[in-house]
Amino acid sequence: MDASLLWYLVPLAAIVVVYVWLHKRSERKAARKKAEIMEAGLHEPVSLHPKIDPLKCIGCGSCVSACPEGDVLGLIHGKAELIAASECVGHGACRSACPSEAIELVFGTEKRGVELPHVRPDFQTNVPGLYIAGELGGMGLIKNAIEQGRQAVENIAKRERSRAADYDIVIVGAGPAGISASLAAKQHRLRYLTVEQDSLGGTVAHFPRGKLVMTSPAQLALHGKVKFGEIGKDALLGFWSKIARDHQLQIAFGERVDEIRRNANAFEVKTAKRAISTNSILLAVGRRGTPRQLGVPGEDLPKVVYRLIEPEQYNNKHVLVVGGGDSALEAAATLAEETSAKVTLCYRGEAFARAKPKNRERIQSASRSNRLSIHLATGVLAIAPQTVTINPAGGAQTIKNDAVIVCAGGILPAEFLKRAGVQIETKYGTA
């Protein structure tokens, strides 16, 4: 063989060998992580997530590289797989990056269904003129909520409108989707009113103080592109406040919507303060609706609350945090890190499958330093003025307690939606 040819072939062969070795190592790493996650019970996705068709997947790894959350996806035996399902937050970057269209984004799994209102691609429900955007429709990411709020109003702006109604659109909720929708309504010169039962920011306003929120670029009407990496809760709420102030958004705070009725030519929106007529409605509220209660004796005591607001009030107190999601872990970790409280975290599940890795590490770190006591597979049996009874390992244990923070999620406002005529469906691994 010509020596000059060898000069080219040997380095080329070395490159191929190194590539194959790196590829195999990556596959072994993905397989190990999947096995660890299956063993830990963290394999169930908790929100919108990718479903990969192995017949279409060409094993290029584009989806793995595109995921901003890290090793959520991996290549095993030449095909992409969802490895860390509980860490997926539904960015959808994997689907966009797939050159063979092998990925679709779905809700729920074959075993675990997710209740969602029926929403069309234009964000309209089965009730003409009634739209849903953001978390209530299953899209919890701030970026998705912003985009949906803006796009929903763009569709509403195309509808015929009656001047007989008080407003062209009533937006319910002043979280990311509601703020984005309000800006879009103003941009399209719609007669709009935004109604918020609580405070600016929606679900974000109820995060523990200092929580970091992850989001990616999104387009706000009248403002332009918004891009955050990691941002604290207070800074994010400050941003929303400035947006609302700079653009003089019409937001009625402290006004809860109790009922929606469809009349001949418009909707009637009844709040605790008044009745409003409108051509269209955009529901931009969270899925939590009403906090999920434990249903145990003593839950009506004043010391029981359903979110952490000011950690300092729990200094030198015995606090029980109940729940296994991000809100519960963040509340427990914040108390352990920032106060002198004696904190106990209990969860009825075997693992914190629904929580982000960063939050799981925070509570494990607090536990290792004896600032936090963790009880898995444990429920609450009863709450008394100075104690609480839990059942670790199947037995009853009464511990000293001054405060209980229940972070067990919320109940989908299904009855409210059904009264408005919106269809609710349970999705099992469907888009």
Side-chain angles (χ1 to χ4, degrees), residues 299-356:
E299 191 170 5
D300 57 346
L301 289 171
K303 71 175 185 177
V304 180
V305 298
Y306 295 90
R307 64 177 185 263
L308 174 65
I309 300 179
E310 291 297 333
E312 290 85 355
Q313 65 181 301
Y314 298 103
N315 274 322
N316 302 314
K317 292 184 177 180
H318 291 75
V319 183
L320 174 68
V321 179
V322 183
D326 285 313
S327 294
L329 270 61
E330 286 157 3
T334 298
L335 288 170
E337 294 164 357
E338 299 183 10
T339 76
S340 57
K342 184 175 177 58
V343 187
T344 301
L345 172 64
C346 81
Y347 177 48
R348 64 185 179 179
E350 299 285 346
F352 298 113
R354 298 182 293 119
K356 295 183 177 68

Side-chain angles (χ1 to χ4, degrees), residues 56 60 112 182 322 334:
K56 292 183 178 179
C60 65
R112 181 182 60 82
S182 302
V322 183
T334 298

